[in-house]
Amino acid sequence: MTELNEFLASETNPQIAKIFSAIEKASFIVSKEVGYQGLGDDILGAKGSENSTGDQQQKLDVYADGVLERALRNSGVVAGWASEESDHFVSFEGNEDAAYVVVIDPLDGSSNIDVNVSIGTIFGIYERVSSRREKVMAQDFLQPGRRQVAAGYVLYSVSTQLVLSTGHGVHVFTLEPWKRSYHRILDHVKTPADGKVYSINEVNFDDFNPRLQRFVQYCRDKKNENGKRRYTGRYIGSLVADFHRNLLKGGVYVYPSTGEAPSGKLRLVYECNPMAYLIEQAGGYATDGEKNILDLQPTELHQKSPLYLGSKVMMDEVMKA
Ligand code: AHM
Ligand code: MG
């Protein structure tokens, strides 16, 4: 089985390989802490603070944020980063000549942290557009998702997995914790063109627009020729985990706009864009209900967007609705 560093050496340039390597090292630490679940340091529970979009921060959110920031800063090849957990982007002093910036959701699925349910780290990598002699600028982070040069996520679950793309397909690596190394278990993953799963938080049903309500009702009612249900609902409440299942099994994930939250909940820069990049690499696609996510021009770091994402056939159905 190919090891991550071998794969990166043949797949991408040395700077991007170093960025992945920094995320890899950080993920060993985060994975260990996630796995402790109440053992060791007092790291479970709420931190008592809020992030920029008003979410309650968990202690592990803040811990993962610090570990990843240090790793990327010390890599020497990242000029700056923007994290879902911080109000502003950060320019890494001493790294001004670096070509890349990273956007990140350090620990996605916060509500699942303390209950031993899958969570993850989501990231995207861009080549900066500002001058390489200067500090990074907002425009480096506010690029359409299609400009990502690589993206991925780490899924902290029964095993820890790193899923990534550098623009040449999607590859899945599993962590062998006692060796602290990732081994590739799947290469050039294609999501099934059709799927059985629809993933949506149905408690908001009454607040969906009527067309989305019709689509959900269609998924609930649709039967196969043999009279069995055509679709099934699965929703973990961790985008990384819901995405990962649907990537491998086929399906559609929806976090729509609602009356209460017209732009939905998920962040365009940190969550929607990396996932949209990965699903396109796997043969599916993602939209905000109208436009392809990867073509949207972000205007603010923490801007939210509705997200419809998944296998081609189910996405075509939801878009038709
Ligand atoms: P987070 O980044 O604060 O964890 O929020 C994002 C998460 C996603 O992982 C998940 O899909 C969604 O929030 C779940 O929200 P809800 O509980 O409203 O269904
Ligand atoms: Mg998140």
Side-chain angles (χ1 to χ4, degrees):
M1 269 185 278
T2 312
E3 277 201 31
L4 179 63
N5 52 5
E6 277 172 60
F7 167 81
L8 291 170
S10 64
E11 181 80 1
T12 184
N13 72 42
Q15 285 94 35
I16 293 179
K18 271 196 178 173
I19 298 174
F20 276 107
S21 179
I23 293 169
E24 177 196 21
K25 302 283 167 346
S27 78
F28 297 156
I29 300 169
V30 175
S31 173
K32 192 175 146 215
E33 288 300 334
V34 168
Y36 267 32
Q37 288 289 320
L39 305 172
D41 299 339
D42 175 25
I43 206 160
L44 290 186
K47 179 85 179 161
S49 49
E50 286 185 354
N51 68 14
S52 307
T53 25
D55 302 325
Q56 283 292 323
Q57 287 182 309
Q58 303 298 305
K59 288 182 197 162
L60 260 174
D61 278 326
V62 177
Y63 178 81
D65 186 67
V67 170
L68 283 150
E69 179 175 357
R70 273 192 299 283
L72 289 165
R73 189 190 287 274
N74 293 340
S75 72
V77 291
V78 178
W81 92 332
S83 162
E84 190 187 291
E85 297 305 332
S86 310
D87 292 345
H88 305 289
F89 61 84
V90 177
S91 191
F92 290 157
E93 223 178 298
N95 291 0
E96 285 80 6
D97 61 345
Y100 297 103
V101 296
V102 174
V103 295
I104 202 153
D105 178 355
L107 214 49
D108 178 67
S110 299
S111 65
N112 287 322
I113 288 179
D114 287 351
V115 291
N116 201 7
V117 175
S118 308
I119 49 182
T121 298
I122 306 174
F123 58 92
I125 304 172
Y126 293 86
E127 197 167 336
R128 64 189 290 191
V129 288
S130 59
S131 158
R132 284 180 63 174
R133 286 180 303 280
E134 313 278 340
K135 288 182 174 196
V136 292
M137 298 169 83
Q139 71 214 51
D140 295 319
F141 302 95
L142 298 178
Q143 303 189 53
R146 205 168 284 295
R147 294 240 183 90
Q148 287 168 108
V149 293
Y153 59 86
V154 184
L155 172 63
Y156 310 104
S157 186
V158 177
S159 60
T160 294
Q161 293 187 313
L162 171 62
V163 178
L164 64 85
S165 178
T166 60
H168 312 286
V170 174
H171 304 266
V172 179
F173 295 80
T174 298
L175 173 64
E176 203 177 352
W178 45 94
K179 287 198 180 154
R180 286 167 69 93
S181 59
Y182 281 95
H183 305 274
R184 185 166 65 175
I185 56 148
L186 298 170
D187 67 315
H188 297 98
V189 175
K190 287 289 168 206
T191 192
D194 201 359
K196 271 186 69 172
V197 176
Y198 73 100
S199 310
I200 189 166
N201 191 341
E202 288 194 52
V203 78
N204 299 320
F205 186 89
D206 291 347
D207 217 8
F208 296 160
N209 77 48
R211 287 165 298 157
L212 181 59
Q213 286 179 340
R214 270 207 304 280
F215 174 74
V216 172
Q217 198 58 52
Y218 163 81
C219 291
R220 289 171 176 175
D221 297 342
K222 180 81 180 157
K223 300 277 189 323
N224 285 326
E225 315 74 63
N226 56 14
K228 295 246 171 72
R229 283 192 198 292
R230 166 77 180 83
Y231 297 110
T232 188
R234 291 281 185 277
Y235 189 76
I236 296 170
S238 280
L239 174 61
V240 175
D242 283 308
F243 178 96
H244 191 71
R245 180 201 52 245
N246 291 5
L247 170 73
L248 299 180
K249 299 257 185 190
V252 72
Y253 174 95
V254 181
Y255 207 112
S257 65
T258 61
E260 215 173 84
S263 301
K265 176 182 183 190
L266 300 175
R267 269 68 36 149
L268 175 60
V269 171
Y270 311 108
E271 292 162 324
C272 303
N273 273 336
M275 293 317 209
Y277 180 88
L278 291 167
I279 202 69
E280 266 204 27
Q281 285 291 321
Y285 68 101
T287 75
D288 66 352
E290 287 175 21
K291 295 199 191 86
N292 191 304
I293 286 284
L294 295 176
D295 295 327
L296 300 177
Q297 173 63 58
T299 50
E300 283 170 44
L301 270 184
H302 294 279
Q303 129 185 26
K304 294 179 179 178
S305 169
L307 179 65
Y308 297 73
L309 173 156
S311 302
K312 176 143 188 343
V313 173
M314 278 190 89
M315 275 300 291
D316 290 349
E317 276 172 357
V318 73
M319 293 307 287
K320 207 163 72 195

